[in-house]
Amino acid sequence: MYAMTKKIQLVDDSEAIRRALSHIFRTAGFEVCDDARTASQGILEALLAHPDLIVLDMSLPDMNGLQAASILHSVVPDSPIMLFTLFVETIAEREARKLGVAAMISKHEPTDILVQKASELLKLTVAS
């Protein structure tokens, strides 16, 4: 386990999903520092909070998740980005990785897979 709590930022336009993810991550021992319903709000909050991990939806009201990932990666390059979406099959993984996405998880996956992937990404971040 980590010496300090790792901060996760959630960016999803669905309040129900943000609330559910917040509960899942807090139960697993993470801190949810902020959540945002638009990419623009998420970018601003990431600049202010410097989260250890960003969980980002693909479909946002103001831009898509890949556009948001590209901007987030440039402004908080040390924060891995996990794309959490219903549309994993339609996203080119190679393109997503070039834009700064460290992992892609389907919203259809069990929540323990989401928490496991978040833990893996944070261990990589701690080790670097």
Side-chain angles (χ1 to χ4, degrees):
M1 204 65 203
Y2 300 106
M4 57 184 247
T5 304
K6 295 295 179 182
K7 296 185 295 185
I8 296 178
Q9 178 183 340
L10 308 174
V11 184
D12 196 301
D13 57 329
S14 167
E15 183 179 341
I17 290 176
R18 289 193 318 270
R19 207 176 4 214
L21 289 176
S22 181
H23 175 74
I24 290 163
F25 282 119
R26 285 190 170 113
T27 300
F30 297 99
E31 175 187 345
V32 177
C33 61
D34 285 301
D35 65 30
R37 65 171 210 84
T38 67
S40 300
Q41 188 181 22
I43 292 162
L44 177 62
E45 290 177 7
L47 282 167
L48 297 173
H50 298 286
D52 297 300
L53 175 69
I54 300 167
V55 179
L56 177 65
D57 187 19
M58 183 62 189
S59 300
L60 297 164
D62 54 347
M63 68 181 80
N64 74 44
L66 293 179
Q67 292 166 322
S70 178
I71 296 168
L72 284 162
H73 184 65
S74 68
V75 298
V76 285
D78 293 334
S79 299
I81 300 167
M82 183 186 325
L83 206 56
F84 184 61
T85 180
L86 291 171
F87 309 106
V88 167
E89 310 80 33
T90 63
I91 300 167
E93 187 170 352
R94 181 183 234 173
E95 178 188 354
R97 293 212 184 268
K98 284 182 187 175
L99 297 173
V101 174
M104 295 190 305
I105 303 288
S106 170
K107 288 183 178 179
H108 298 294
E109 292 285 346
T111 57
D112 59 329
I113 300 292
L114 177 67
V115 171
Q116 178 185 348
K117 183 54 76 173
S119 297
E120 288 172 15
L121 290 173
L122 289 168
K123 287 176 186 173
L124 290 174
T125 301
V126 171
S128 61

